[in-house]
Amino acid sequence: MKRYVIIITAAVLGACQQPAGTPQQPEHPTALNLSGRKVTVYTTADSTGYRITATGTLNFEDLPQPLETQPCIFVDPQTTFQQFEGIGGALTDAAAETFAKLPKPAQDSLLAAYYDPAKGIGYTLGRTNIHSCDFSSDSYTYIKEGDSTLSTFSLAHDEQFKIPLIKKAITAAGGKLPLLVSPWSPPAFMKDNNSMLGGGKLLPAYRQNWANYVVKFIKAFEEKGIPVWGLTVQNEPMAKQKWESCIFTAEEERDYIKSFLGPTLQKNGLESKKLIAWDHNRDLIFQRASTILEDEEAAKYVWGIGFHWYETWTGGDMQFDNLRLVNQAFPGKHLVFTEGCKEKFSMDSVNNWSLGERYGHSMINDFNNGTVAWIDWNLLLDEHGGPNHVGNFCFAPVHANTQNGKLIYTNAYWYIGHFSKFIRPGAKRIGAAASRWLLQTTAFQNTDGSIAVVVMNTSSQKIPFQLWIKGKAAGTESLPHSIMTMVL
């Protein structure tokens, strides 16, 4: 007899997004027998001590046709969408340097909190930077400046902090942690501004050298016992930043993929690595995806399109409709959330409930619009929101006070956990809809048959509702600013 895990998280975010893509029928659909089953409820809520806490039990009862006056979350396991790859966070220089300053008990606690699916929230993906990014203590590369032959290539810099942390994370995750790698800038001599910082472009004469460099990095990491799952072409290719950055227009990225990076990966036996284009915000994602993926020679190398959530710099909301359009236009490719964090760190704000609600808002809507994987930015930062060599201090789900060795968990950690702990790799998104605009939902069925339904409520209202599955319903309520998980 199958067990069914039902996750409910509550938080208000405006009108629900329509499911992306064309529904599929499951290979072996089975009817659910919910009669007589007890439902255990887990809750995280503002103004309470609840943090994925068991808060009660519920029963399913007959409810053939709900009324308009009965708020419901409707779930249909026989309507399926994209397959889920996993959730994780970035193992940056900043995370690794901060981790190294912690006493061993705090280090062990952090690893269990992130990677243990029973004691923690069960992360199953990771991301790291190819040489330096803003969240490094300095700018560095793996070669001597000017070495176009790459003969001086060495991972010595990463062996001090980053590689040890990644290896410990792999062990904590049970021996497997698919890793996405991303470059922020080629070495200075390969660029037209002769600097890793401040934008600039890759010089045409060095396109092959840069592709060779990326391949050399992947092979060197794997020789260290760190398997690489995938790579992005360029982090934020339309952003001229004061830190490591490099500009690629859509046409430039397309041509670099099809003439240099794609063929170089293939020639070196790395064609199985997931090559992800764009790796920037949702605002320009359709223009970038269509330019690259409508070119057959470029598209054949591209597994997916990566995106961030920082289009909100304009003062607007996250642009989920752009994801839906990419998903509908290119259903054979994969959407991956590759980075997001709350900027402008302040220790006075680490307990703000809005931190977690921003994560929940993005995750529900990203998944509903076809996203297959979701990777947060820094796993861990210090009490200043760094280290960061250009002063771009930000929030992470967990901060460390390096003076006393204590860990500070923001509610972003718990919100992410309501997804990552219960939705596992290989799951498929299933049909889920809310009958009230104050409730927003997504749902997945895991490979073991368990079902996870997430519902958010960012309002100050307590909202009663019915979880309805095929004529059976379990009544519960969403606390103000809360996220709940129900396990059957």
Side-chain angles (χ1 to χ4, degrees), residues 218-267:
I218 292 172
K219 289 191 169 185
F221 247 50
E222 295 198 328
E223 286 171 3
K224 296 287 185 183
I226 302 173
V228 172
W229 171 77
L231 67 154
T232 66
V233 179
Q234 166 65 44
N235 179 75
E236 299 187 347
M238 287 306 295
K240 180 181 179 181
Q241 306 284 22
K242 62 183 179 179
W243 53 86
E244 289 82 348
S245 45
C246 184
I247 304 298
F248 283 80
T249 66
E251 291 78 8
E252 288 166 344
E253 185 174 8
R254 175 198 65 198
D255 295 346
Y256 173 63
I257 289 169
K258 74 177 180 180
S259 299
F260 296 95
L261 184 57
T264 303
L265 289 167
Q266 192 169 57
K267 288 174 185 176

Side-chain angles (χ1 to χ4, degrees), residues 266-342:
Q266 192 169 57
K267 288 174 185 176
N268 285 272
L270 300 177
E271 63 275 5
S272 66
K273 305 306 179 188
K274 310 297 195 266
L275 181 59
I276 296 172
W278 188 222
D279 198 11
H280 203 166
N281 298 329
R282 301 182 190 95
D283 49 5
L284 302 182
I285 191 171
F286 181 72
Q287 183 261 348
R288 182 68 51 141
S290 59
T291 301
I292 294 172
L293 299 179
E294 287 171 2
D295 185 305
E296 292 182 2
E297 290 303 306
K300 70 182 182 182
Y301 296 113
V302 176
W303 182 82
I305 304 294
F307 64 94
H308 302 178
W309 71 17
Y310 308 113
E311 70 270 20
T312 55
W313 69 269
T314 62
D317 200 358
M318 299 177 184
Q319 295 181 262
F320 302 113
D321 284 347
N322 292 347
L323 300 182
R324 178 185 301 147
L325 183 56
V326 172
N327 185 56
Q328 291 172 340
F330 307 102
K333 302 302 180 181
H334 304 83
L335 287 167
V336 178
F337 183 91
T338 50
E339 184 186 319
C341 73
K342 174 70 170 66

